[in-house]
Amino acid sequence: MRKEDCLFCKIVAGEIPSAKVYEDDRVLAFEDVNPQMPVHTLIVPKNHYDNIGDGIPDDEMGYLFNTVKKIAELKGIAESGYRVIVNTNDDAQQSVHHIHVHVLGGAPMNSGDPSAK
Ligand code: DGP
């Protein structure tokens, strides 16, 4: 399931280049173009869903979130710790409307200010 004119669908298809961290048949992880932390990787399902409220099947959602651990290990932050963020719609400033999980780490963070990425 692909959506026309979706930036992350184009990245999944290889039509727009990205710095790939991990890929399998269901998900792609790549470096955020505008990193907010020393480690800032995005994970997307290859199928298109606008956001967390878009009726994502449980197995798809579970697979997406289980990939977080893999990425944390690949990036060397599994032990030191990391933050997982899924921005959803306007108030959260979701700018790309293809669900994506931000995995952030590599340095100590603030206490959890929801406005901080
Ligand atoms: P959000 O605000 O949650 O929708 O975050 C979207 C993120 O996507 C933002 O941190 C920057 C990143 N991003 C936007 N365009 C591109 C791109 O073309 N390539 C990559 N690698 N990241 C992008």
Side-chain angles (χ1 to χ4, degrees), residues 69-80:
K69 174 174 179 272
K70 246 178 233 163
I71 301 311
E73 286 167 355
L74 284 171
K75 297 299 294 183
I77 57 171
E79 298 305 321
S80 52

Side-chain angles (χ1 to χ4, degrees), residues 1-75:
M1 283 191 306
R2 172 184 175 148
K3 187 171 181 184
E4 281 314 302
D5 295 326
C6 168
L7 175 65
F8 287 173
C9 284
K10 289 179 181 169
I11 286 179
V12 165
E15 294 163 12
I16 292 175
S18 68
K20 192 194 303 184
V21 173
Y22 174 81
E23 181 173 19
D24 63 25
D25 57 335
R26 300 186 74 163
V27 296
L28 175 69
F30 53 95
E31 305 295 14
D32 193 292
V33 79
N34 181 25
Q36 305 297 309
M37 289 290 293
V39 173
H40 190 167
T41 302
L42 304 176
I43 312 170
V44 303
K46 290 191 167 181
N47 288 325
H48 180 94
Y49 304 95
D50 288 345
N51 57 46
I52 206 165
D54 196 16
I56 304 175
D58 288 350
D59 67 322
E60 187 92 286
M61 190 78 94
Y63 198 88
L64 179 65
F65 277 85
N66 276 325
T67 305
V68 170
K69 174 174 179 272
K70 246 178 233 163
I71 301 311
E73 286 167 355
L74 284 171
K75 297 299 294 183

